[in-house]
Amino acid sequence: MSDASSKSSYSNGAASTSTATSRTSQVAAQTRPQTHRKRVRSDSADSPRDTHRPREKNQKMFKAHGFEDTDTDTEMDAIIEPASASTSNLVTEGKEKGKERETAKTFVRDERYYFEDGSCVLLVQDTLFNVHRSILSNDSSSFSTMFSLPQGGQDVEGRSDANPIVLIGDTPEEFRHFIWALYALPHELKIVTSPHANLLQLIDIARVSNKYSFKSLETWALDAIQEYVNRKPSPILGGTEQALSFNSNLATPNATAKSPEDPAAQNETADQLTRLIRLAQLCQHERLLSTMINLLRQLMSTSVRYAYLAMTLADELDLRTLRGAAYLEVMQKAVVVKKVRVDVLKPAADTASHNNSSSSLVDSSGTPLPQEEGSIDASGRLIVTRAQQLRLLAGYYRLTSVWDKLRREPLPFEHSHACGATWHQQGCTQSWLEFWKEKTRSDGVMNLGMADVLGRLKLVQKEYDRWGSATYMHHDCRLGAKRAIGDVIKRVEEALPDYFAEPGEFEDD
């Protein structure tokens, strides 16, 4: 073969090879995604075909033309991943937009305290508030501590309606009152110290301020409440003051005055007293708590409903200064029964006979009606819980036992030195003994309840003041005996809450 022929053959071969290579590349580029899709299907356990032989044949073909098969799984993943990432971004954006649309449908913006230039979005139930972080950070509040914490790389809560700071335990109205106090102007704040003050608004401000540690604002609201309840006439008593005035002029200590209020007014007053006592206890505002307890103790004399309220609050909040007086008032003024239990699985007749000692309120079918604690049944009996009934019974037993011990022996006192020197000390003692036996069995004392130890002792004390100079006791001894009566009255008053402890909790049981 000549050189020219050889060169021509080589050129033709090279051109042919180049053409074949170009075509092979095009075919490989066009078929690569298809090959990947086929591989995905062939990887399935349901495909019976052998996919290794075509791959080996292709590898030999590529090697024959000087190419390596680079169609690996890694290359395939590189081709697929950009599309997957793009799809993922679209899904995320779609979710965020869907969340924003859902937020817009579910939550509403507060009409007054959603500021366009606000920097902190708060969600209270279904209402969004957008206020300023600088305002919420005042007074060393809990918000200032929260805002100072590092946020990391996550989306910061409170920056948008889609990701607000969620507050639990408040209503929009309560939180709106609180925000009002943060943004109010001086002339607006004057309203709370005027007769036109809104008590419920002040209660909300104090409670929410206590919850989020706005100490200065909490103290300001509580002081305003204190001024409000001390105003004369008291705005929270209404017509009850007439009953208090009438009851204070009654001739007999155990008489009961009827309140001129209707049940609705009584319920409103009871609700305000309950909220104020709970608030004062929560905020540990001793002055307001003492004021409300004293007010409730006065109201107990006008209605057994207030006495029951005092008894219940004393148990709930562990108010020792109120518990003894409240239980004693209920024990003296009411016949109490346990709450009605209605068993719907039993016939009406059986249920009525089971509850015949609890209530006589029945419906048209003869089935006893369920009653709430603190209500009065058709027979005029107060409905109480089982625990309250046990405390009342235990208190009655303990107080009657105390009086039985007191009446049998006169109170001891120390005779003066002058009594032993110039008087016959035995005669002084005998005179005191005769007085004690006579007065503790007088008609006035016996007309009082057996468990009314305080009432009986105070009546004996009055009789002793009248007895005075008619005794054959030394002057100093008379003073000593009078102090002895006053001391035992004080000790009974201090121990009164313990007398109404549940059975087994009293040290003398």
Side-chain angles (χ1 to χ4, degrees):
M1 184 180 294
S2 64
D3 294 339
S5 175
S6 176
K7 290 180 180 180
S8 176
S9 176
Y10 178 78
S11 299
N12 293 335
S16 175
T17 302
S18 175
T19 303
T21 302
S22 176
R23 292 177 179 177
T24 302
S25 301
Q26 293 177 0
V27 170
Q30 294 174 359
T31 60
R32 191 167 294 163
Q34 298 175 359
T35 303
H36 175 73
R37 289 193 294 270
K38 290 180 180 180
R39 182 179 297 137
V40 172
R41 290 194 296 270
S42 65
D43 289 341
S44 173
D46 298 334
S47 179
R49 291 183 296 178
D50 185 1
T51 59
H52 295 288
R53 290 181 181 177
R55 179 176 177 83
E56 293 176 357
K57 184 177 180 181
N58 290 337
Q59 288 177 348
K60 292 179 180 180
M61 181 182 68
F62 279 107
K63 289 181 179 179
H65 294 283
F67 294 96
E68 294 291 337
D69 183 13
T70 59
D71 187 13
T72 62
D73 291 339
T74 304
E75 183 178 353
M76 290 288 109
D77 293 340
I79 295 173
I80 299 299
E81 282 179 359
S84 299
S86 176
T87 303
S88 177
N89 292 335
L90 290 175
V91 172
T92 303
E93 292 176 1
K95 287 182 177 179
E96 291 179 354
K97 291 181 179 179
K99 185 177 181 181
E100 291 178 357
R101 287 194 296 269
E102 182 181 355
T103 301
K105 292 179 180 179
T106 306
F107 305 142
V108 295
R109 294 181 174 182
D110 189 75
E111 296 181 356
R112 182 172 183 182
Y113 295 110
Y114 190 97
F115 302 114
E116 294 299 330
D117 61 342
S119 55
C120 184
V121 180
L122 305 168
L123 176 62
V124 181
Q125 291 184 356
D126 61 345
T127 304
L128 292 168
F129 296 83
N130 191 9
V131 294
H132 302 87
R133 291 188 174 225
S134 57
I135 297 295
L136 292 176
S137 299
N138 289 336
D139 209 5
S140 301
S141 67
S142 300
F143 289 103
S144 63
T145 304
M146 180 180 64
F147 294 152
S148 65
L149 296 176
Q151 302 296 330
Q154 300 178 352
D155 185 18
V156 180
E157 289 184 347
R159 295 297 188 186
S160 65
D161 290 3
N163 191 23
I165 297 174
V166 181
L167 303 181
I168 306 298
D170 306 316
T171 66
E173 184 68 16
E174 292 170 349
F175 196 75
R176 192 176 296 112
H177 288 160
F178 165 72
I179 294 296
W180 172 86
L182 294 179
Y183 283 92
L185 297 175
H187 71 276
E188 295 176 316
L189 295 176
K190 284 185 178 181
I191 298 176
V192 300
T193 57
S194 69
H196 304 290
N198 186 340
L199 179 61
L200 297 181
Q201 181 186 35
L202 289 174
I203 293 175
D204 292 341
I205 294 171
R207 190 194 64 79
V208 179
S209 298
N210 173 269
K211 180 178 180 179
Y212 298 113
S213 300
F214 284 81
K215 194 60 183 177
S216 299
L217 184 58
E218 172 193 337
T219 303
W220 171 83
L222 291 171
D223 290 343
I225 294 174
Q226 176 75 24
E227 182 178 348
Y228 181 90
V229 298
N230 284 335
R231 190 174 293 118
K232 300 298 181 182
S234 178
I236 68 173
L237 292 182
T240 310
E241 287 189 325
Q242 301 176 13
L244 289 176
S245 176
F246 174 72
N247 192 68
S248 63
N249 297 325
L250 292 175
T252 55
N254 65 334
T256 304
K258 293 184 178 180
S259 173
E261 291 185 296
D262 57 18
Q266 282 190 351
N267 291 336
E268 181 180 357
T269 300
D271 180 65
Q272 290 180 340
L273 289 170
T274 301
R275 298 188 65 175
L276 288 171
I277 290 177
R278 286 175 177 168
L279 177 67
Q281 176 77 349
L282 172 68
C283 301
Q284 298 181 354
H285 197 279
E286 296 298 333
R287 191 158 58 98
L288 179 60
L289 181 61
S290 178
T291 299
M292 299 313 302
I293 288 177
N294 291 335
L295 184 58
L296 185 54
R297 291 187 67 166
Q298 296 178 53
L299 288 173
M300 290 191 307
S301 61
T302 67
S303 172
V304 71
R305 295 179 185 273
Y306 291 120
Y308 177 82
L309 173 64
M311 185 173 67
T312 304
L313 289 175
D315 290 337
E316 175 190 340
L317 304 176
D318 193 21
L319 301 175
R320 181 178 174 82
T321 57
L322 187 61
R323 178 184 287 116
Y327 271 91
L328 182 63
E329 193 74 25
V330 171
M331 185 181 67
Q332 293 174 342
K333 292 182 179 295
V335 177
V336 300
V337 292
K338 290 188 297 184
K339 184 180 178 180
V340 177
R341 290 186 57 189
V342 178
D343 192 346
V344 296
L345 300 179
K346 291 184 178 181
D350 294 342
T351 307
S353 62
H354 177 73
N355 294 310
N356 58 2
S357 61
S358 299
S359 175
S360 57
L361 289 181
V362 295
D363 59 14
S364 57
S365 64
T367 302
L369 297 174
Q371 303 222 356
E372 297 296 330
E373 291 92 347
S375 62
I376 307 297
D377 69 2
S379 301
R381 298 173 296 184
L382 178 67
I383 307 299
V384 299
T385 64
R386 180 178 181 275
Q388 290 171 336
Q389 188 182 45
L390 288 176
R391 294 190 190 102
L392 288 167
L393 293 173
Y396 183 85
Y397 169 77
R398 291 163 184 156
L399 287 172
T400 53
S401 299
V402 167
W403 176 253
D404 189 56
K405 294 178 182 179
L406 288 174
R407 70 172 181 82
R408 285 183 293 179
E409 295 182 6
L411 299 178
F413 66 92
E414 185 176 356
H415 290 270
S416 67
H417 296 291
C419 178
T422 62
W423 289 69
H424 199 293
Q425 186 169 335
Q426 183 178 359
C428 184
T429 303
Q430 183 64 29
S431 181
W432 168 243
L433 176 61
E434 292 175 357
F435 166 82
W436 186 258
K437 287 184 176 180
E438 177 187 354
K439 299 306 178 183
T440 54
R441 292 171 175 82
S442 64
D443 293 339
V445 169
M446 300 304 291
N447 287 334
L448 298 178
M450 292 182 62
D452 191 4
V453 178
L454 288 175
R456 291 187 171 192
L457 286 173
K458 290 177 180 179
L459 192 56
V460 171
Q461 188 180 46
K462 291 182 178 180
E463 293 294 332
Y464 187 78
D465 292 336
R466 296 193 188 100
W467 193 44
S469 59
T471 111
Y472 292 98
M473 298 175 63
H474 190 274
H475 175 71
D476 294 339
C477 293
R478 289 201 305 269
L479 294 179
K482 183 177 181 179
R483 284 194 300 268
I485 299 176
D487 290 342
V488 73
I489 291 176
K490 184 177 180 181
R491 288 197 301 270
V492 172
E493 288 177 338
E494 292 176 350
L496 199 56
D498 300 324
Y499 293 135
F500 291 98
E502 292 189 7
E505 296 182 357
F506 191 58
E507 60 181 12
D508 292 343
D509 289 346

